[in-house]
Structures are given as structure tokens and as C-alpha cells.
Amino acid sequence: MPTLSIVVPMYNEEDAMDGFFTRVQRVLQTVTPSYEIICVNDGSRDLTLARLRAKAESDPRVKVVNLSRNFGKEIALSAGLDHASGDAVIPIDADLQDPPEVIPLMMAKWRAGAKLVLAKRRDRSSDSWLKRLTANGAYWLFSKLTDPQIPQNVGDFRLMDREVVDAVKRLPERSRFMKGLFAWIGYEAEVVEYDREARSAGETKWNYWKLWNFALDGITSFSSLPLRIWSYLGFGVSLLAMAYLGWTVAKTLIFGMDVPGYASLMSVILFFNGISLIGIGVIGEYLSRIFTEVKARPLYLVSEKIGFEAKAQSETPETAKRA
Ligand code: UDP
Ligand code: MG
């Protein structure tokens, strides 16, 4: 068993790959001779797989898990964790935005007994102001809504002891909001700070629509407040409506009927129809996720494994390639 497993999800990273291996392996050599690099090819449509295959053939420490299609970073990461066998595991991005030079610092803390070492971004100056604004907003909303507090400016780049990795692997849900899952398992964490660099090559796979859905995933997986709020809202509105009803009846009895208010009637109807639709929409968000969970499909499918020994393959029978 290697001491350290590095897990890298890769989607269309043919340009970033060479630089990645050079820099990471230069650092790893100084840390431990016993390491493995688990590359998860997340259905890339460029030469990523071919290059990974060549790399794995020339270097036994590089192992490749080829997913059957693009499953998204979070699931690719889970697939990597499932295949990592090291005593310590570090997920890292292929674009070198997580500087590998932080790895020795994390390893030092791990050797001193830490089970979980988080790499925290010192600041977000390498992001655009809009990205910073939305990120801060999302963190704020999260801290209000969800129970396990998500540490700010901490991504997937972290060191996990085998015990922590096994804990993460026990969470079966299909909607993999890793930040939340990592927070949920707890464990005392040590922190090392780092500066996030600009992407080394290629381009980001995120856009604001994806980020929005990512945030929705996070909130619905870790809070039921958006569901529960509607009964209170409905109750409050009903009270107001009763009071207004009483007032209208009394007014009509005392002063008689005046010209009916078409405009106010119309706005009230439209407003409350809007509110009801939002309520139904929120239920829909949860329902669709329940549906995904209930179908209980496997999280990912592996179409090929390169560089693993036969023993390692049989350890994950659920997802192992059919013989
Ligand atoms: N990634 C992946 N599957 C995807 C999208 C991204 O495996 O569907 C990988 C990607 O190759 C990279 C990491 O996830 O190693 C982070 O992606 P990216 O740099 O696009 O995200 P950002 O750094 O902008 O958050
Ligand atoms: Mg990146």
C-alpha cells in the first residue's frame, strides 16, 4: 500500500497534463517514495485518455480510472477516492490551481498526527469580482441554512487520513456536494494557507448557470428549511387574509358596497399565485433529488482501469469492470 494517494479528476486536460505531472512529481519525490497518482478521466473528448495511458505505461505510480462518460467533477472525485489505497489521500485539480508545493506542508501535519488537513485560500484575488461576490453570498447563505458549517475558502484540496477517506466513502448519496459531505463527516482539522493560482492551461468548466445549480444542490442536500418555510409563510398569510376579510365584511355592512377594486384584486391574485408557484418549485427541487436517490443507480461506471493490480480491482466489486 502506498503512503500517499493523489487523486486528480480530469476532463479535457490534455494541455494542462504534462505540466501537472512534472510539477507534482517533482514535489512528491521530496515527500515520500511511496505514492500513487490516481487520474480519473471524466469522459474527456480530447486526447486526455491517450496521454494518460502513455503516462501510466511508462510510470507504474500513475493509475488511470476511465469513467464511461462525463459524470462531473464531484463524482469523478468520488471515483478517485474509491480507487485510492494510500494511508493519506489528497485530491487536487489538474490545472495546478492547487499548488502542489503545499503537499509537503500537509504531509508534515499528517505525520505529526493530524487526520484532516485543509488547504485554505489566503484570499480570492485571483478571482473576478463577480465570482468573489457570488462565492461570498453562497457561503453566507450556507452558514445561515445548513447545519454542518462549511469552512470558507476551502475547496477539495485537502489531506485526508485513511480513516477520514473511509468515512467519506460511507456517504451513499447521488448528489455529491463534496464541500458539504466533507463538512458533514466532521473530524478535527488543521489548516495550511495557500495562494490559488490562475489556471495553467485549458479553460474552466464552470459557468454561472452551473454554479447556481451547484449551490442549489448544496442547499437542498444539507437543509430542509426551504421546504419547511412554506407552512409558516402560508400560516402568516392566512392570518392576514382573515383579518382583511373581517375588515371587508364589517366595512360592507356598515358603509354598504362601494366600487369594487379591480386593481387591488388583480395584484393580490397575481402575487399569491407567484408565491404558490415558488413553493411548488421548491418542492420540485427536492422531489427531483429524491427521485434521483430512489432510483439508486450506481454513482459512476468505470469502463477501464489502467495500472491497477488485479487485487485492487476486486476490492470495488460494485463498480469493477465486468470480467
Ligand atoms: N473536472 C472533471 N469533470 C468535469 C469538470 C471538471 O473532472 O466535468 C475536473 C477538471 O479537469 C479539473 C477539476 O475538475 O481537474 C477542476 O475543474 P476546473 O478547473 O474547470 O474548475 P475551477 O478550478 O474553475 O473551479
Ligand atoms: Mg481550475
Side-chain angles (χ1 to χ4, degrees):
M1 294 291 146
T3 311
L4 175 63
S5 300
I6 302 288
V7 173
V8 207
M10 287 190 176
Y11 177 54
N12 296 346
E13 299 286 6
E14 60 175 10
D15 296 330
M17 199 149 62
D18 289 339
F20 171 79
F21 281 121
T22 325
R23 206 165 131 196
V24 165
Q25 289 193 299
R26 198 189 307 138
V27 172
L28 287 180
Q29 262 138 33
T30 68
V31 180
T32 169
S34 159
Y35 66 83
E36 61 175 4
I37 303 181
I38 311 268
C39 304
V40 183
N41 176 39
D42 188 17
S44 301
R45 276 180 293 242
D46 60 2
L47 294 176
T48 302
L49 180 62
R51 297 209 176 156
L52 279 179
R53 186 171 284 143
K55 182 76 191 162
E57 267 156 25
S58 67
D59 187 341
R61 285 176 296 203
V62 175
K63 299 169 185 177
V64 181
V65 178
N66 186 32
L67 300 186
S68 60
R69 63 172 172 85
N70 178 258
F71 282 91
K73 180 191 174 180
E74 313 268 309
I75 291 183
L77 186 56
S78 304
L81 291 184
D82 288 346
H83 290 85
S85 53
D87 297 325
V89 179
I90 302 181
I92 189 170
D93 284 359
D95 56 10
L96 290 172
Q97 282 194 292
D98 311 324
E101 288 71 28
V102 181
I103 294 176
L105 304 178
M106 296 201 276
M107 284 298 278
K109 288 204 188 272
W110 176 66
R111 288 195 168 118
K115 289 201 172 126
L116 181 62
V117 187
L118 305 178
K120 190 178 162 86
R121 297 174 67 171
R122 207 165 277 131
D123 58 51
R124 285 186 161 261
S125 52
S126 58
D127 286 350
S128 69
W129 66 269
L130 189 58
K131 181 97 189 253
R132 255 179 291 176
L133 191 75
T134 46
N136 284 336
Y139 277 118
W140 178 83
L141 193 65
F142 262 96
S143 67
K144 296 282 170 240
L145 284 182
T146 61
D147 208 12
Q149 290 295 307
I150 293 176
Q152 202 156 359
N153 294 340
V154 169
D156 300 326
F157 189 34
R158 59 183 58 216
L159 182 148
M160 288 175 279
D161 184 72
R162 171 72 9 215
E163 190 181 327
V164 177
V165 177
D166 288 341
V168 175
K169 280 160 67 175
R170 284 178 58 193
L171 304 182
E173 49 249 76
R174 261 110 209 115
S175 89
R176 308 294 291 180
F177 184 68
M178 285 317 247
K179 272 182 210 273
L181 298 184
F182 283 146
W184 187 88
I185 58 163
Y187 283 92
E188 195 94 44
E190 301 232 16
V191 174
V192 293
E193 296 206 318
Y194 76 103
D195 291 311
R196 196 164 173 84
E197 292 167 25
R199 206 172 214 292
S200 61
E203 52 193 45
T204 177
K205 281 94 200 171
W206 288 104
N207 55 43
Y208 281 98
W209 176 244
K210 275 195 188 171
L211 279 176
W212 162 248
N213 281 300
F214 184 61
L216 275 187
D217 255 348
I219 290 169
T220 49
S221 312
F222 286 91
S223 170
S224 55
L225 191 70
L227 272 179
R228 282 178 293 131
I229 204 168
W230 298 97
S231 32
Y232 298 102
L233 199 74
F235 188 69
V237 167
S238 307
L239 282 185
L240 285 178
M242 291 302 257
Y244 187 66
L245 180 79
W247 153 251
T248 317
V249 168
K251 205 177 91 174
T252 314
L253 287 180
I254 298 167
F255 300 108
M257 182 85 127
D258 58 358
V259 184
Y262 170 77
S264 57
L265 207 60
M266 205 54 197
S267 34
V268 167
I269 290 177
L270 289 178
F271 178 71
F272 286 108
N273 273 335
I275 295 275
S276 318
L277 284 178
I278 296 174
I280 294 174
V282 170
I283 296 176
E285 289 290 335
Y286 281 88
L287 190 65
S288 71
R289 283 170 178 85
I290 296 172
F291 186 46
T292 328
E293 297 294 338
V294 163
K295 282 186 283 191
R297 291 184 182 155
L299 203 53
Y300 55 86
L301 290 175
V302 176
S303 72
E304 187 183 4
K305 293 187 202 186
I306 308 164
F308 289 89
E309 290 143 30
K311 185 171 156 289
Q313 279 193 353
S314 61
E315 268 171 10
T316 50
E318 191 193 357
T319 47
K321 198 183 170 192
R322 263 172 293 163

